[in-house]
């Protein structure tokens, strides 16, 4: 707050769309933070270190150096308290970049997942800063994390702007998980699956991103954006899986006790080159974009499994000990040529977008030879060598009419695609398919008045199947749940419609937002599952025993996904607070096949909530919230298995600070689940509390004691619904700990 002057929220277009003036719908919700003029030269940030009970620790911080156009930011963290990503305030500085417009900004992209709050602050930023460069996907369980990032931005010779970032992340994740799953079977009988797993994975990730923009002259510019990503993962997973005819697993069908050890390493290298030229006639432009990606992945997997298949009599015991060597590499090349021509009060755009991609996948599996004590028995039925090519040509024309306040565009593209799959091993095969599609698109952007606007977007698109979905080789990582690919898959075709209405009244402080999204997919890639009623020999070395399952991807029609979200906010001036109501509805229809009979899983979700947030002063801050959702799942095969479940969360947070620096923070949340399977219905409280003192000059120092999970009730529950089953998942979470943390705020600014 000390360095921020103004804040702007907007939809940032892609570089090509921003230049041509044609909004292609690929926008990024962005925040432009304008810093005060006397805060643009100097340094700011914070550093912190904490240690607590059970050897819990957390250290990290950020520091940003601003000197005119040159900006350097550093950020780092190391902890074992499950903070897997940087906090938002840390990324405000680290994603800052050169700004051509005299301001600065923070480009958002989702929650950072950080748990720290308070301390240093804000940053300038232009068109490149992207939080996604410094984030990783959050994992279930508990993680130890070490992360470091650096961002650099500068202008050279007034024509050349360079921005680059480097990010390193290392995590050690332990996830103890329990799954209860019920399948939608065509018959009156039911089948249940329970899994207890203990897994540990160590992940290493390095990313390098750059953006180099060269302004040749007032009419020509070049943008080069190279990207490098290196990753390695080492994982061990011990699992006990049981299938049965009843939910308490007393009438067992089969059981598997297995261990998987996997090591995977790979990289993605690529970049984009964009040339933009503006002719003398206003609205006449041409831009040429070239993009390429090269990737490679090497992996090994060791599987040891003891499987029991219970029958009348003695039953069957099966032991697996195997080694799998996996390799995949490929490339994607594409171009995008756009030419715009002004016509009357509108503008015409011609597009041509060719692309070529190739993926090679090679898998070799060996069984353990106990006589020679090595993995030397090659299994051709679990081995495969496969090559997939996907070539696509898209040409289209779009007409746009109007200005930035009232704009309508409509377009039509023709796409010709060829999918060529070649099986090299274990037996030669060749499948070639061609697709011809007409892809319409339309968009309306209308400013209704000074307070409200509406935006409606429609587009049609296609998606090719992945190499994993195409590769026809059995995966027996879980011997009770086998999977395989399908080289006969075709590309899916989707229609997407989205609408957004925005109303804001700064004078009264009120706002209303409405978002609606719907997509319908033909040739949707779903699952065809077969549950064996008797032992079935799949290959000379693989038998699908009674009660076990084989799943294969297939093309299905009838997929729908519809979502909506509404929110209304108004100030409560008598208590200097803001009250926000929200509501939403979601519907998903997912088709699947079970034992050759099609099942449509229909999921309805109704949600609502409110938030009361204070704006009293820097010394008193509170937040009271409620959110609840009612979920209804219906399927066409067994309506008697339809189920309803409800979840809600009630939370209250209060932060108190005195002028002398004494502080008290309280956070209390109640979470309630009803309608889940036995043992998963929960009603628990999570209470965190902190107390401390700010001291040193200008209160730059902060020492506080934090108690996490005061009541020792923290838990994690998730309900998932698919086209063939519904499941409840419980993961281990962080339990109570005490931590003493010291934070020091850095702030030193020069002249304007």
């Amino acid at each position: 707050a000390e360095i921020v002057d103004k804040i702007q929220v907007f939809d940032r277009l892609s570089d090509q769309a921003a230049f041509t003036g044609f909004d292609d719908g690929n926008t990024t919700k962005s925040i432009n933070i304008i810093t005060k003029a006397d805060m643009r030269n100097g340094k700011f940030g914070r550093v912190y270190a904490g240690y607590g009970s059970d050897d819990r620790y957390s250290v990290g911080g950020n520091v940003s150096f601003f000197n005119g156009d040159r900006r350097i930011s550093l950020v780092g963290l190391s902890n074992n308290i499950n903070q897997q990503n940087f906090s938002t305030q840390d990324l405000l500085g680290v994603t800052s970049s050169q700004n051509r417009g005299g301001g600065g900004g923070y480009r958002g992209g989702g929650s950072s997942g950080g748990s720290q709050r308070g301390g240093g602050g804000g940053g300038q930023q232009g068109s490149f800063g992207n939080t996604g460069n410094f984030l990783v996907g959050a994992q279930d369980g508990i993680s130890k994390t070490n992360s470091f990032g650096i961002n650099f931005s500068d202008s050279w010779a007034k024509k050349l702007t360079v921005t680059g970032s480097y990010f390193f992340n290392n995590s050690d994740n332990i996830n103890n998980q329990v799954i209860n799953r019920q399948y939608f079977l065509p018959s009156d009988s039911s089948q249940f699956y329970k899994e207890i797993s203990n897994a540990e994975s160590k992940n290493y990730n390095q990313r390098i991103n750059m953006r180099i923009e060269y302004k040749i002259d007032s009419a020509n510019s070049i943008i080069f954006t190279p990207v490098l990503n290196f990753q390695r993962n080492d994982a061990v997973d011990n699992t006990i899986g049981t299938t049965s005819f009843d939910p308490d697993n007393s009438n067992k069908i089969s059981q598997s006790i297995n261990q998987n050890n996997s090591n995977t390493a790979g990289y993605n290298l690529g970049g984009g080159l964009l040339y933009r030229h503006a002719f003398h006639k206003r609205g006449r432009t041409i831009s040429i974009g070239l993009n390429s990606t090269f990737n490679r992945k090497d992996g090994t997997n060791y599987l040891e499994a003891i499987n029991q298949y219970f029958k009348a009599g003695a039953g069957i015991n099966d032991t697996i000990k195997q080694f799998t060597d996996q390799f995949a590499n490929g490339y994607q090349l594409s171009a995008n040529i756009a030419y715009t021509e002004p016509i009357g009060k509108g503008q015409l755009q011609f597009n041509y977008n060719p692309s070529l991609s190739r993926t090679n996948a090679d898998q070799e599996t060996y069984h353990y030879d106990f006589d020679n004590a090595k993995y030397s028995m090659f299994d051709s039925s679990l081995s495969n060598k496969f090559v997939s090519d996907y070539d696509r040509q898209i040409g289209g024309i779009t007409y746009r009419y109007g200005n930035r306040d009232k704009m309508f565009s409509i377009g039509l593209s023709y796409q010709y695609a060829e999918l060529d799959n070649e099986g090299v091993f274990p037996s030669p095969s060749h499948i070639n398919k061609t697709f011809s599609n007409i892809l319409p698109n339309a968009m309306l952007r209308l400013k209704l008045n000074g307070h409200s606007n509406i935006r409606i977007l429609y587009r049609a698109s296609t998606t090719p199947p992945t190499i994993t979905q195409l590769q026809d080789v059995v995966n027996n990582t879980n011997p009770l749940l086998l999977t395989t690919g399908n080289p006969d898959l075709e590309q899916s075709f989707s229609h997407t419609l989205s609408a957004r209405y925005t109303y804001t009244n700064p004078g009264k402080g009120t706002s209303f937002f409405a978002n609606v999204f719907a997509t319908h997919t033909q040739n949707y890639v779903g699952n065809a599952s077969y549950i064996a009623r008797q032992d079935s020999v799949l290959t000379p070395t693989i038998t699908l025993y009674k009660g076990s399952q084989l799943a294969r991807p297939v093309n299905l029609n009838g997929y729908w996904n519809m979502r909506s979200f509404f929110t209304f906010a108004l100030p409560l001036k008598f208590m200097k607070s803001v009250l926000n109501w929200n509501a939403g509805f979601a519907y998903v229809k997912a088709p699947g096949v079970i034992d050759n009979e099609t099942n449509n899983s229909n999921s309805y979700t109704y949600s609502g909530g409110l938030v009361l947030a204070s704006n009293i002063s820097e010394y008193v801050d509170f937040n009271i919230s409620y959110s609840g959702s009612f979920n209804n799942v219906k399927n066409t095969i067994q309506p008697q298995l339809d189920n309803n479940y409800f979840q809600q969360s009630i939370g209250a947070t209060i932060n108190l600070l005195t002028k002398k620096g004494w502080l008290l923070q309280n956070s209390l949340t109640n979470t309630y689940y009803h309608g889940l399977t036995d043992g998963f219905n929960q009603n628990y409280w999570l209470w965190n509390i902190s107390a401390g003192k700010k001291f040193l000059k200008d209160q730059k120092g902060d020492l506080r004691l934090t108690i996490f999970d005061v009541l020792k009730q923290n838990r994690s529950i998730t309900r998932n619904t698919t086209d063939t089953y519904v499941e409840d998942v419980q993961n281990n979470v962080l339990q109570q700990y005490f931590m003493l943390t010291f934070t020091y705020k850095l702030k030193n600014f020069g002249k304007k």
Side-chain angles (χ1 to χ4, degrees):
E2 297 169 291
I3 68 173
V4 174
D5 184 22
K6 302 173 185 177
I7 295 178
Q8 175 192 22
V9 181
F10 65 102
D11 293 311
R12 182 183 177 275
L13 302 176
S14 64
D15 290 318
Q16 197 164 26
F19 178 74
T20 62
F22 269 84
D23 186 347
D24 55 10
N26 297 319
T27 61
T28 301
K29 182 62 67 178
S30 301
I31 302 176
N32 189 35
I33 299 178
I34 310 298
T35 53
K36 296 176 181 177
D38 56 351
M39 297 288 185
R40 297 177 188 169
N41 288 286
K43 61 178 179 288
F44 70 91
R46 65 169 187 145
V47 291
Y48 63 88
Y51 185 78
S53 60
D54 300 324
D55 289 327
R56 298 294 176 189
Y57 65 88
S58 178
V59 297
N62 70 87
V63 59
S64 297
F65 303 89
F66 287 3
N67 184 8
D69 290 332
R70 178 180 297 170
R71 295 170 182 125
I72 302 174
S73 297
L74 306 173
V75 65
L77 66 82
S78 177
N79 70 83
N80 63 355
I81 59 170
N82 213 29
Q83 183 186 342
Q84 300 178 36
N85 278 301
F86 295 108
S87 62
T88 301
Q89 66 186 47
D90 290 330
L91 294 176
L92 285 172
V94 78
T95 56
S96 63
S97 61
Q98 187 271 345
N99 176 31
R100 292 166 291 179
Y106 166 72
R107 178 175 171 188
S111 172
S112 69
S115 62
Q116 300 293 329
R117 186 180 179 189
Q124 294 191 76
Q125 180 159 2
S127 60
F128 177 72
N130 188 343
T131 61
N133 293 340
F134 302 93
L135 299 178
V136 296
Q139 296 176 280
D140 292 323
I142 302 174
S143 292
K144 296 179 182 178
T145 305
N146 301 290
S147 294
F148 171 76
I150 182 172
N151 192 81
F152 170 83
S153 176
D154 200 0
S155 293
W156 298 340
K158 296 184 179 180
K159 290 187 175 183
L160 186 64
T161 301
V162 179
T163 301
S165 67
Y166 169 77
F167 172 71
F168 168 81
N169 177 269
N170 160 235
S171 65
D172 186 348
N173 176 265
I174 296 178
N175 186 22
N176 302 323
Q177 188 178 79
V178 178
I179 298 175
N180 274 357
R181 181 182 299 170
Q182 182 176 11
Y183 289 95
F184 308 129
L185 300 185
S187 61
D188 292 335
S189 62
S190 296
Q191 183 163 307
F192 300 85
Y193 175 74
K194 182 173 183 178
E195 180 178 290
I196 302 174
S197 64
N198 299 300
E200 181 177 7
S201 63
K202 297 180 180 180
N203 190 74
Y204 303 85
N205 183 279
Q206 296 186 78
R207 302 177 194 158
I208 299 175
N209 293 270
M210 293 193 68
R211 175 189 168 98
I212 304 171
E213 182 173 358
Y214 177 60
K215 291 184 178 180
I216 302 173
D217 50 41
S218 60
N220 299 277
S221 65
I222 296 175
I223 300 175
F224 178 49
T225 53
V227 177
L228 295 85
N229 189 344
F230 303 90
Q231 187 165 338
R232 176 175 175 174
N233 181 272
D234 303 320
V236 178
D237 189 352
N238 295 283
T239 300
I240 301 176
T242 306
T243 57
S244 60
F245 290 118
D246 46 35
D248 60 2
N249 293 120
S250 60
N251 190 4
K252 294 182 181 179
I253 303 171
S254 56
Q255 179 174 282
S256 177
I257 303 174
N258 62 72
Q259 182 184 82
N260 278 279
N261 289 267
S262 61
N263 304 95
T264 306
Y267 63 78
N268 285 279
L269 311 176
L273 184 65
L274 177 63
Y275 168 73
R276 305 183 297 184
H277 173 73
F279 294 92
H280 290 294
K281 186 175 182 179
R282 182 178 176 85
R284 179 182 294 169
T285 69
I286 187 170
S287 59
I288 303 172
L290 303 174
N291 292 279
S292 64
T293 302
F294 300 87
N295 54 75
R296 177 188 175 101
K297 183 175 73 173
D298 293 276
T300 59
N301 178 266
Y302 291 88
L303 170 64
E304 294 188 26
I306 300 174
N307 310 311
Q308 294 177 283
Y309 303 94
F310 305 96
K311 295 183 178 181
I316 296 176
N317 292 330
D318 177 42
T319 301
I320 299 175
K321 189 172 183 178
Q322 69 183 37
F323 163 75
T324 301
D325 189 10
Q326 298 170 318
F327 167 78
N329 70 351
Y331 60 84
Q332 298 82 40
L333 307 173
S334 65
N336 189 26
I337 303 172
Y339 173 80
T340 62
E341 179 68 26
I343 298 180
K345 294 183 179 181
Q347 192 179 25
L348 201 63
Q349 177 174 269
F350 299 91
N351 267 92
Y352 175 57
N353 176 218
S355 63
L356 167 66
S357 64
R358 162 167 283 205
T359 304
N360 301 282
D362 190 353
Q363 176 172 305
E364 296 180 355
T365 300
Y366 297 86
H367 292 286
Y368 190 75
D369 184 351
F370 288 91
D371 294 333
N372 297 309
K374 61 180 180 179
Y375 294 93
S376 58
M377 301 171 64
F378 182 68
D379 188 344
S380 60
S381 63
L382 292 174
S383 303
N384 183 274
K385 189 172 184 180
F386 190 81
V387 180
S388 179
D389 292 320
Y390 184 72
D391 303 335
R392 183 172 62 181
Q393 308 279 333
I394 303 177
I397 183 171
T398 305
Y399 178 70
R400 187 195 72 168
Y401 179 82
N403 52 39
R404 65 184 304 170
D405 292 335
K406 296 181 180 180
M407 188 276 289
F408 174 74
S409 68
I410 186 169
L412 197 66
S413 297
Y414 171 75
Q415 174 182 283
Y416 176 82
E418 182 178 4
L419 181 62
D420 190 273
N421 300 326
E422 182 179 358
V424 180
F425 183 85
S427 60
S429 64
H430 186 255
I431 298 176
N432 182 273
K433 295 182 179 182
T434 59
F435 310 95
S436 296
N437 300 106
I438 301 296
L439 305 176
N441 67 84
M443 186 175 68
L444 172 67
R445 190 172 65 230
L446 188 61
K447 184 177 181 180
L448 303 177
N449 51 50
H451 298 301
S452 61
N453 63 79
I454 189 171
R455 180 177 182 267
I456 302 174
L457 174 67
Y458 164 77
R459 65 168 57 177
S461 61
T462 62
T463 305
T466 66
I467 188 65
T468 302
Q469 294 170 334
L470 291 168
Q471 194 174 13
D472 191 13
V473 60
V474 174
N475 181 344
N476 66 338
T477 303
N478 186 336
L480 303 185
L481 306 173
L482 304 179
T483 61
T484 185
N486 181 4
D488 294 323
L489 287 176
E490 298 185 357
Q491 65 177 8
S492 59
F493 186 94
S494 298
H495 301 270
T496 301
L497 177 67
S498 63
R500 182 179 69 206
Y501 171 78
T502 301
Y503 170 84
T504 57
N505 189 328
K508 295 183 178 180
T510 59
S511 63
F512 175 74
F513 301 95
N515 293 273
V516 179
F517 169 89
T519 184
H520 173 60
T521 303
Q522 299 166 306
N523 279 332
Y524 163 76
V525 179
N527 282 314
S529 300
Y530 172 73
I531 298 178
R533 304 302 181 193
Q534 60 185 11
D535 298 348
S536 303
V537 178
L538 302 181
T539 72
T541 59
I542 300 178
T543 299
L544 186 67
Y545 290 100
K546 179 181 178 181
S548 299
Q549 182 181 144
L550 175 67
R552 189 172 191 245
V554 293
N555 290 114
L556 299 167
N557 290 323
Y559 175 85
W560 281 93
N561 186 343
M562 292 183 283
R563 303 192 303 272
S564 63
F565 182 76
F566 309 90
T567 179
F568 174 69
L570 78 162
L572 303 179
K573 294 183 179 180
F574 70 93
M575 59 186 305
K576 295 184 178 180
S577 301
V578 177
L579 183 62
N580 182 298
W581 284 281
N582 63 77
F585 170 74
Y587 167 69
V588 177
K589 178 184 177 182
V593 177
I594 305 175
D595 290 349
N596 298 320
E597 186 170 337
T598 301
N599 177 60
N600 288 307
S601 173
N602 297 275
S603 176
Y604 306 82
T605 302
Y606 309 86
S607 60
L610 59 87
V611 177
L612 178 63
S614 72
N615 189 27
I616 298 175
S617 71
E618 61 182 300
Y619 302 106
V620 179
D621 177 31
F622 69 85
N623 187 300
I624 301 173
S625 63
Y626 171 83
S627 64
S629 65
F630 175 77
N631 304 268
N632 178 234
V633 180
K634 298 181 179 180
N635 66 93
T636 56
I637 285 184
Q638 283 200 58
Q640 67 271 23
L641 296 182
D642 296 348
N643 66 91
N644 303 320
Y645 64 98
F646 175 77
Q647 64 184 73
Q648 71 175 18
S649 178
I650 304 173
T653 300
I654 183 168
N655 302 312
L656 303 175
L657 176 68
T658 69
K659 292 184 178 181
K660 292 185 178 181
W662 292 100
L663 61 92
L664 177 66
Q665 297 181 333
N666 254 295
S667 175
L668 183 64
T669 303
N670 175 259
T671 303
Y672 174 77
Y673 293 90
H674 177 74
L676 306 184
T677 53
D678 292 341
F680 284 78
N681 290 313
Q682 304 286 340
N683 184 7
Y684 64 92
W685 295 86
L686 178 61
W687 182 17
N688 303 326
I689 185 170
S690 296
K693 178 76 165 60
K694 293 179 179 291
F695 58 102
L696 301 180
K697 184 179 180 180
D698 298 327
Q699 295 188 349
K700 291 183 177 180
D702 182 315
L703 184 66
R704 68 182 65 185
L705 176 66
T706 300
I707 307 175
F708 177 82
D709 190 15
V710 176
L711 303 177
K712 298 182 179 180
Q713 295 185 12
N714 193 23
R715 298 167 205 173
S716 172
I717 305 290
T718 306
R719 162 63 66 95
N720 300 315
T721 302
T722 73
D723 49 10
T724 57
Y725 61 81
V726 60
E727 69 176 9
D728 295 323
V729 182
Q730 181 170 336
N731 300 283
N732 64 314
V733 294
L734 202 61
Q735 299 295 328
Q736 185 189 90
Y737 67 86
F738 298 73
M739 179 169 287
L740 186 66
T741 304
F742 172 72
T743 303
Y744 184 78
K745 184 166 64 173
L746 308 169
K747 188 179 68 172
N748 182 15
F749 290 95
K751 299 180 180 180
K752 293 183 181 180

